[in-house]
Amino acid sequence: MTDNERTEELKNAEPVDLARAAVKLFLSKKGIDVKMYDVCEYTSVTDYYVNVTARSSTHVGALSDDLVDDFSKKGTDALRVEGKRGNSWILIDFGSLIVNVFDSESRSFYNFDRLLPQEAARDISEIAAEVDKQFE
């Protein structure tokens, strides 16, 4: 797929598939401490959260831009993006998926992961192995 091509790959995708796609993108772009939470039984706000730490404020912006652009090219547009000005914590809302891209200081300070039920955390080792194969 070239940069200008649009597909329908993520249009009408299940929330879990959106979350997995976000995790995969973040791992391939060297995001740190990527976490995926299935919260559909705990809140009506969203079905999944994905949290990631970036290596710098520039990386925060790049990860969030890459996700929004990638999903848009695949048929799913963000409903809103908050925090772009500061590049320390950017929230991207896709409706059934909410993504938080943090710098390390903001992730530590807000400790958002502690607010989510730990039993909602999902194993992403299969996705990580898939991404690792791309770099072999």
Side-chain angles (χ1 to χ4, degrees):
M1 178 170 74
T2 64
D3 285 344
N4 294 327
E5 285 185 55
R6 286 184 57 95
T7 69
E8 301 293 308
E9 183 179 338
L10 293 177
K11 186 174 185 174
N12 302 318
E14 293 294 320
V16 66
D17 295 326
L18 291 176
R20 291 175 59 83
V23 167
K24 186 174 181 179
L25 182 136
F26 291 145
L27 291 172
S28 70
K29 303 281 184 175
K30 305 299 181 200
I32 303 167
D33 195 22
V34 181
K35 302 283 187 195
M36 181 171 86
Y37 298 92
D38 177 353
V39 295
C40 64
E41 293 183 20
Y42 303 97
T43 181
S44 61
V45 173
T46 192
D47 293 322
Y48 281 83
Y49 277 100
V50 171
N51 298 334
V52 61
T53 302
R55 298 175 185 278
S56 66
S57 61
T58 303
H59 197 214
V60 170
L63 286 177
S64 63
D65 289 347
D66 287 350
L67 182 69
V68 169
D69 292 346
D70 184 68
F71 274 32
S72 180
K73 288 175 186 171
K74 294 176 180 175
T76 297
D77 292 319
L79 300 175
R80 67 187 175 111
V81 178
E82 301 286 337
K84 288 289 293 177
R85 193 171 308 160
N87 274 2
S88 61
W89 173 14
I90 297 177
L91 180 143
I92 309 162
D93 184 356
F94 292 99
S96 62
L97 168 66
I98 294 177
V99 175
N100 294 290
V101 182
F102 298 97
D103 64 14
S104 59
E105 294 81 19
S106 295
R107 183 121 183 220
S108 294
F109 180 79
Y110 293 108
N111 199 5
F112 190 76
D113 295 278
R114 132 187 99 68
L115 301 175
L116 297 169
Q118 290 312 299
E119 59 272 12
R122 295 295 173 254
D123 182 9
I124 62 166
S125 59
E126 179 184 306
I127 303 167
E130 184 181 332
V131 170
D132 287 346
K133 284 183 182 180
Q134 294 176 352
F135 294 105
E136 289 179 352

